[in-house]
């Protein structure tokens, strides 16, 4: 319910009813992993037809997650770097310029001393957390990064929050049943979740 209310207030958007099940699945996977100490949360697959708000829901969910967990590192992967960067830029634009974001998460702001751009990723800080520097002292990756499917820039990245894969299939990796099966079986990135 909190994410749906966030979508309405911050994005002025009422998500479709079926989005609630996706959000609940993502939250259950993350909360289950945190409760058990598992470093790799369960994966949640959302398959739905075009125009069913998968991308919109993912972008809103990641923005909300960052507000709730600003010390986490998150990623958006799409079929191309450009497509992934556009999705990450929507989250960044919300954090940086949306007055409703500031109403909901007034302490979570762009970090002026760190990266803030599509090439380097986006880094936030909690400006009212007195132990912020200690919380992020060992963090090497930005709060949000983006990249295309198979982009080798993901090697060595540590994703501690949400890793959203959105529209990773195209004519280059689905020309045959064998290629499509390879995408389904192997991780889409050369990085393990840590």
């Amino acid at each position: 319910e909190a994410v749906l209310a966030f979508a309405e207030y911050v994005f002025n958007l009422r998500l479709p009813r079926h989005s609630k099940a996706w959000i609940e699945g993502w939250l259950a996977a993350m909360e289950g992993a945190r409760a058990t100490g598992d470093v790799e949360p369960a994966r949640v697959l959302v398959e739905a037809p075009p125009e069913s708000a998968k991308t919109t829901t993912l972008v809103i969910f990641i923005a909300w997650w960052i507000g709730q967990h600003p010390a986490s590192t998150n990623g958006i992967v799409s079929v191309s770097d450009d497509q992934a960067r556009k999705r990450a830029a929507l989250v960044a634009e919300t954090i940086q310029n949306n007055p409703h974001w500031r109403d909901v998460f007034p302490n979570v702001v762009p970090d002026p001393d760190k990266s803030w751009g599509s090439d380097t990723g986006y880094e936030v800080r909690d400006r009212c957390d007195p132990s912020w520097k200690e919380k992020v002292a060992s963090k090497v990756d930005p709060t949000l990064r983006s990249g295309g499917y198979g982009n080798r820039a993901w090697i060595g990245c540590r994703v501690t929050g949400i890793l959203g894969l959105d529209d990773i299939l195209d004519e280059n990796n689905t020309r045959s049943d064998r290629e499509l099966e390879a995408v389904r079986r192997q991780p889409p990135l050369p990085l393990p979740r840590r």
Side-chain angles (χ1 to χ4, degrees):
E1 298 297 321
V3 180
L4 297 176
F6 174 79
E8 284 193 45
Y9 183 67
V10 176
F11 289 87
N12 195 28
L13 185 63
R14 186 179 201 119
L15 290 172
R17 264 194 333 258
H18 58 262
S19 294
K20 184 177 179 183
W22 302 341
I23 293 165
E24 288 171 351
W26 296 330
L27 285 172
M30 294 305 291
E31 295 309 319
R34 287 173 183 262
T36 62
D38 190 357
V39 295
E40 184 171 340
R43 293 181 173 109
V44 178
L45 175 65
V46 173
E47 282 188 294
E51 303 300 320
S52 56
K54 296 180 300 296
T55 299
T56 301
T57 304
L58 178 66
V59 166
I60 290 170
F61 182 74
I62 290 175
W64 177 85
W65 181 266
I66 289 170
Q68 291 288 324
H69 306 277
S72 67
T73 55
N74 306 277
I76 298 177
V77 181
S78 284
V79 72
S80 69
D81 287 336
D82 186 53
Q83 200 170 359
R85 285 180 178 147
K86 286 177 183 175
R87 284 150 175 72
L90 290 171
V91 175
E93 173 69 21
T94 300
I95 294 168
Q96 188 171 27
N97 297 318
N98 188 313
H100 296 292
W101 165 274
R102 290 190 291 275
D103 290 343
V104 178
F105 299 115
N107 300 335
V108 180
V109 297
D111 189 331
D113 299 325
K114 304 280 181 159
S115 62
W116 192 263
S118 62
D119 290 336
T120 56
Y122 302 93
E123 185 72 49
V124 301
R125 68 182 173 96
D126 184 334
R127 65 181 175 183
C128 293
D129 184 343
S131 62
W132 181 253
K133 287 190 179 188
E134 291 81 28
K135 281 183 183 175
V136 298
S138 64
K139 186 176 164 184
V140 296
D141 292 301
T143 307
L144 179 63
R145 73 169 42 240
S146 61
Y149 175 91
N151 183 325
R152 298 193 55 81
W154 288 101
I155 295 173
C157 294
R158 289 171 175 82
V159 177
T160 63
I162 304 298
L163 178 60
L165 298 137
D166 184 53
D167 294 333
I168 61 169
L169 301 176
D170 71 358
E171 66 279 356
N172 293 319
N173 59 17
T174 60
R175 284 182 288 226
S176 69
D177 290 341
R178 184 176 176 191
E179 287 174 333
L180 182 56
E181 186 58 29
V183 172
R184 288 183 176 147
R185 275 186 286 122
Q186 66 184 340
L189 306 174
L191 85 143
R193 295 262 322 195
R194 298 180 189 192

